[in-house]
């Protein structure tokens, strides 16, 4: 008899909490680094970038390790007979980290008079929030990529599902309600919204996204959690019949009925 795995079971919840706990520690250290950020000394920006790069790489490796441990545990629960070594995803390239951090801080030194009308404290606050969101995504993505890589390479894996928290955005809830469909570009939400980054073969994630990845193996049956089933119901009833306007209608259905 096939075993059941769900985006809402205890193991998935514990894994998501572990990754969120890691994110909290990351943001603590990013906040400490932020105190070194000095708009009055633009030349010091490169030193801040280098330090932030090291923090992201260190926490990204921890995220990948957590993901590998979760994958191994899920694989053991599926009674996979053969052995498989989870390949840890590499840290994001240094230029990707730098590009994200430069984007986060680009308004601190405005290039035009219009941007300069915002007081410096307000611009700094925005830059800090963007930095937190961007670094969180870079770190979480390394854990998510570890599981995606494993699913692609493991002969016992049949796919993965997206696990979204109750407070997730409408896009993430919609992607989670699809269930265990993620192993091909056509089901990954490739063209759903260009604001969500990701290559053509994987689900997309945004800054400050805490969605998890749940692997599913041969002999297992995936079952949506109760809240994901409700999201699926809302989508089918209020959004599915309206091609081209589905995400907006789904967002409205959640606001009105969710």
């Amino acid at each position: 008899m096939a075993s059941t795995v769900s985006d809402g079971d205890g193991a998935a919840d514990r894994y998501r909490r572990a990754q969120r706990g890691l994110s909290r520690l990351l943001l603590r250290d990013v906040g400490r680094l932020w105190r070194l950020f000095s708009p009055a000394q633009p030349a010091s920006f490169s030193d801040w970038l280098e330090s932030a790069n090291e923090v992201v790489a260190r926490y990204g490796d921890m995220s990948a390790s957590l993901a590998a441990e979760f994958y191994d545990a899920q694989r053991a629960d599926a009674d996979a007979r053969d052995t498989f070594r989870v390949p840890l995803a590499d840290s994001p390239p240094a230029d990707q980290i730098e590009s994200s951090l430069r984007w986060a801080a680009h308004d601190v030194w405005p290039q035009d008079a219009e941007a300069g009308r915002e007081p410096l404290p307000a611009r700094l606050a925005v830059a800090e929030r963007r930095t937190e969101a961007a670094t969180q995504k870079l770190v979480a993505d390394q854990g998510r990529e570890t599981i995606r890589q494993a699913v692609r390479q493991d002969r016992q894996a049949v796919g993965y599902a997206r696990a979204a928290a109750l407070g997730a955005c409408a896009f993430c809830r919609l992607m989670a309600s699809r269930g265990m469909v993620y192993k091909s570009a056509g089901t990954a939400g490739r063209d759903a919204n260009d604001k969500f980054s990701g290559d053509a073969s994987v689900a997309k994630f945004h800054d400050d996204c805490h969605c998890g990845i749940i692997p599913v193996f041969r002999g297992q049956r995936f079952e949506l959690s109760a809240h994901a089933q409700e999201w699926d119901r809302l989508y089918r009833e209020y959004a599915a019949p309206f091609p081209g306007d589905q995400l907006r209608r789904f967002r409205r259905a959640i606001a009105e009925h969710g």
Side-chain angles (χ1 to χ4, degrees), residues 94-139:
D95 58 348
Q96 180 186 349
I97 298 175
E98 180 173 340
S99 176
S100 296
L101 294 175
R102 285 188 179 278
W103 167 82
H106 76 277
D107 284 339
V108 172
W109 299 283
Q111 300 299 310
D112 55 70
E114 184 66 26
R117 291 177 184 173
E118 279 291 315
L120 178 59
R123 283 181 275 131
L124 281 172
V126 170
E128 184 174 13
R129 288 195 298 272
R130 286 175 175 172
T131 298
E132 291 175 346
T135 54
Q136 183 277 332
K137 180 182 185 300
L138 288 166
V139 166

Side-chain angles (χ1 to χ4, degrees), residues 77-216:
D77 286 345
D79 291 327
R81 302 294 181 184
D82 58 346
T83 59
F84 177 76
R85 184 179 180 86
V86 178
L88 298 181
D90 294 331
S91 298
D95 58 348
Q96 180 186 349
I97 298 175
E98 180 173 340
S99 176
S100 296
L101 294 175
R102 285 188 179 278
W103 167 82
H106 76 277
D107 284 339
V108 172
W109 299 283
Q111 300 299 310
D112 55 70
E114 184 66 26
R117 291 177 184 173
E118 279 291 315
L120 178 59
R123 283 181 275 131
L124 281 172
V126 170
E128 184 174 13
R129 288 195 298 272
R130 286 175 175 172
T131 298
E132 291 175 346
T135 54
Q136 183 277 332
K137 180 182 185 300
L138 288 166
V139 166
D141 276 353
Q142 194 170 338
R144 290 185 284 241
E145 180 59 21
T146 293
I147 293 180
R148 289 197 298 258
Q149 282 183 174
V151 169
R152 288 194 294 267
Q153 298 178 26
D154 188 357
R155 290 180 298 179
Q156 296 299 320
V158 296
Y160 63 86
R162 185 181 187 126
L166 288 172
C169 71
F171 179 88
C172 291
R173 297 188 201 194
L174 178 56
M175 295 297 101
S177 73
R178 290 184 171 184
M180 198 286 294
V181 295
Y182 297 105
K183 206 175 182 180
S184 68
T187 58
R190 175 180 55 192
D191 304 317
N193 191 325
D194 61 8
K195 294 181 181 179
F196 293 80
S197 64
D199 65 56
S201 65
V202 300
K204 301 177 181 182
F205 302 92
H206 55 86
D207 286 353
D208 202 28
C209 176
H210 295 282
C211 286
I213 297 294
I214 311 299
V216 183

